[in-house]
Amino acid sequence: MTDYALVLHPDIQQSGGQQNDGGPALRAPEARLEEAVGLAAAIGLEVVQSEVVTVKKVRPATLIGGGAVERFIEEIRARDIGVVVVDSALSPVQQRNLEKAWDCKVIDRTGLILEIFGARARTKEGKLQVELAALSYQRSRLVRSWTHLERQRGGAGFMGGPGERQLEIDRRLITERITRLKKELTQVQRTRGLHRGARQRVPYPVVTFVGYTNAGKSTLFNRLTEAKVLARDQLFATLDPTMRRVVLPSGQVVILSDTVGFISDLPTDLVAAFRATLEEVLAADLILHVRDAAHPDSRAQQADVEAVLADLGVTDAAEHLLEVLNKCDLLAPEERARLSLRDAEQPKAVLCSALTGEGCDEVLEMIDRALSAKRVEASLELPLSAGAALSWLYDRAEVMERRDDGMDCFLTLKIAPADLRRYLKKFPESAEINKELAETYGQAQSAREKDLQSG
């Protein structure tokens, strides 16, 4: 049975055109409302009414004004609305008071996003992450979740002791479950670290997709890799990360990684719970930021994604970030011409349409150029009998010059620093011959790798 829903976006007025977080008002209230309606639809709610509610002064008891609360009572009854979505953060008290006034379920933006993630998680890791975030969110709201909080029951030992209130028992059980989940996720993080270490030993660079939800990441991923990842015109259509092997125009092999979409005001608990998954971004050789170029709030979405990246610890995004302006097929001709001119001046940006395939070859070429630019020139000496090492280098590097002298071979090549480290580790006898090079590349780790291991 489909629940009828009312979606409200409180437009909190403050001086200087500021939002309630003190940041610039990048989005129009109507755009925020439209996004909230999309989030509600993503969990199967039928939105029968949506409205922007102007809030001149935040009410501690209900967030919105008393007149607005009274006005919606009749509309909720008349339309048989069972759920009201408030596109803002509600305190437990505000949520409880609104539910009492409207006699229906009320959820805030955080609760709505958690509902979506809970419905979409498929892997064991994803389910653990969502459950942890949901329990952390619910723990502070137990006061409104039960009608029997004043009842007491006796007990002995670990059952809680005589006179322990039901609220205290529930909070304790949730705390214990959170502790167990954190231990399980710690193990997941260790496993991910092992898998990440294994991938680093495989001589393929990793390119990770990031972007605002519904920007077209999964559609572009499918187009470039011929994969069949779920791609819909829907917020948070996919949650679990996917990886695929792709051959670039130069013949270089890379691993493309699709990740969960970002969104404004992403719940802190959710970011923390999904940190093990999102840390794949930290380990990437390149980050491909997929933007919806046709969206009116494209710039604001870009700022939100960059904020999440900064929160994850991506401090060198400018060095590793490439930009894909997706959905160019939806652009007006003049806007498309303007963006095309801008991209011609920026080697790290491409205009494309993942739906039609236009510009997708240019995306692969941009990745190819960016990875080639990271290569360093190195001179290597190795015996001609080292056929496996020679083959490895010819597969992974650009050999610029080769000179054979007796039993030895001298190579001048361009190679990615990470690949050179892999080579020297894979062929220690070559590291012994090329000691100076090994000291420079083989024994040193980049600052990003050190940060990842220490994190």
Side-chain angles (χ1 to χ4, degrees):
M1 180 179 176
T2 302
D3 286 318
Y4 294 132
L6 164 65
V7 178
L8 303 176
H9 173 71
D11 181 21
I12 300 174
Q13 303 289 303
Q14 291 193 7
S15 59
Q18 301 290 307
Q19 292 178 333
N20 58 351
D21 60 358
L26 295 175
R27 286 186 176 85
E30 291 74 19
R32 295 295 297 265
L33 178 64
E34 182 182 354
E35 181 178 270
V37 170
L39 288 170
I43 56 170
L45 295 176
E46 184 176 336
V47 180
V48 295
Q49 184 178 349
S50 60
E51 187 172 324
V52 174
V53 180
T54 301
V55 180
K56 294 183 178 179
K57 182 179 179 181
V58 173
R59 301 295 177 95
T62 55
L63 181 68
I64 62 177
V69 173
E70 291 294 327
R71 178 165 63 87
F72 287 117
I73 290 176
E74 289 302 320
E75 295 184 28
I76 290 169
R77 289 175 181 168
R79 292 175 175 260
D80 195 25
I81 290 170
V83 181
V84 176
V85 176
V86 180
D87 185 38
S88 182
L90 291 175
S91 70
V93 170
Q94 290 169 343
Q95 192 168 1
R96 180 189 63 198
N97 289 340
L98 289 175
E99 286 185 341
K100 283 185 175 181
W102 292 335
D103 193 26
C104 68
K105 181 177 177 63
V106 175
I107 57 175
D108 64 0
R109 184 179 178 86
T110 298
L112 180 60
I113 294 174
L114 286 171
E115 289 278 352
I116 296 171
F117 273 56
R120 302 284 165 75
R122 291 292 177 265
T123 64
K124 178 183 177 182
E125 178 187 356
K127 291 175 181 177
L128 287 173
Q129 290 167 330
V130 172
E131 185 181 356
L132 175 60
L135 288 174
S136 300
Y137 172 74
Q138 290 169 7
R139 182 167 52 179
S140 65
R141 295 168 187 266
L142 284 176
V143 66
R144 68 162 195 88
S145 300
W146 300 90
T147 57
H148 56 283
L149 297 182
E150 294 305 315
R151 291 203 306 241
Q152 297 182 347
R153 67 180 179 189
F158 70 92
M159 293 300 292
E164 184 176 22
R165 291 173 183 251
Q166 182 66 47
L167 171 61
E168 294 164 347
I169 294 172
D170 295 331
R171 183 170 289 135
R172 176 170 52 78
L173 291 174
I174 285 181
T175 301
E176 290 171 357
R177 178 61 180 159
I178 287 174
T179 301
R180 289 196 298 272
L181 285 172
K182 286 182 176 179
K183 287 180 180 178
E184 291 186 57
L185 280 172
T186 299
Q187 183 58 45
V188 168
Q189 199 162 7
R190 287 199 195 99
T191 304
R192 274 196 174 275
L194 292 173
H195 292 168
R196 191 180 297 123
R199 285 199 302 274
Q200 288 174 350
R201 289 191 292 273
V202 175
Y204 299 139
V206 176
V207 180
T208 298
F209 286 39
V210 301
Y212 206 81
T213 182
N214 208 33
K217 294 186 308 303
S218 295
T219 305
L220 180 61
F221 184 84
N222 288 341
R223 173 72 65 172
L224 298 181
T225 65
E226 298 182 2
K228 296 182 179 178
V229 175
L230 177 65
R232 293 178 180 167
D233 183 17
Q234 186 181 66
L235 299 174
F236 295 116
T238 53
L239 290 185
D240 298 310
T242 307
M243 293 189 174
R244 292 290 187 274
R245 178 179 178 272
V246 168
V247 180
L248 297 178
S250 68
Q252 183 177 10
V253 177
V254 297
I255 303 295
L256 298 187
S257 173
D258 189 19
T259 60
V260 63
F262 300 162
I263 197 168
S264 64
D265 302 326
L266 193 64
T268 304
D269 290 334
L270 203 55
V271 173
F274 272 78
R275 196 169 192 87
T277 301
L278 294 174
E279 275 181 353
E280 294 294 332
V281 177
L282 287 174
D285 295 272
L286 288 175
I287 300 171
L288 200 68
H289 182 184
V290 182
R291 290 176 52 195
D292 181 351
H295 199 285
D297 288 330
S298 183
R299 286 290 184 186
Q301 292 179 353
Q302 177 187 16
D304 288 326
V305 171
E306 290 173 351
V308 175
L309 289 175
D311 185 53
L312 288 172
V314 181
T315 56
D316 53 355
E319 179 184 350
H320 301 280
L321 194 70
L322 305 177
E323 194 172 74
V324 175
L325 298 175
N326 191 27
K327 304 188 183 181
C328 69
D329 54 304
L330 301 179
L331 290 172
E334 58 275 10
E335 178 64 11
R336 181 175 178 145
R338 185 186 70 81
L339 289 176
S340 297
L341 182 63
R342 168 182 174 271
D343 289 347
E345 301 170 352
Q346 296 189 23
K348 290 189 173 183
V350 165
L351 192 66
C352 85
S353 169
L355 187 64
T356 66
E358 179 186 354
C360 289
D361 290 341
E362 285 78 2
V363 173
L364 293 176
E365 290 171 3
M366 176 178 65
I367 295 172
D368 216 345
R369 288 195 305 270
L371 290 173
S372 296
K374 288 174 171 286
R375 293 183 171 187
V376 296
E377 187 171 315
S379 297
L380 280 170
E381 176 187 353
L382 65 162
L384 287 171
S385 59
L390 273 170
S391 177
W392 197 100
L393 289 170
Y394 271 94
D395 282 344
R396 317 303 178 194
E398 178 186 354
V399 178
M400 303 171 65
E401 183 181 350
R402 171 174 174 169
R403 179 171 58 86
D404 295 345
D405 185 5
M407 302 296 291
D408 295 322
C409 173
F410 298 88
L411 297 176
T412 301
L413 44 81
K414 283 189 174 181
I415 186 169
D419 282 342
L420 188 51
R421 285 193 289 272
R422 293 183 185 111
Y423 167 77
L424 293 167
K425 187 173 182 179
K426 184 177 180 66
F427 301 100
E429 65 279 3
S430 185
E432 183 64 28
I433 297 172
N434 302 275
K435 287 184 178 179
E436 185 177 342
L437 202 61
E439 289 175 1
T440 304
Y441 291 100
Q443 298 174 5
Q445 288 181 311
S446 68
R448 296 173 77 228
E449 288 171 335
K450 287 181 180 178
D451 290 344
L452 190 59
Q453 289 183 356
S454 62

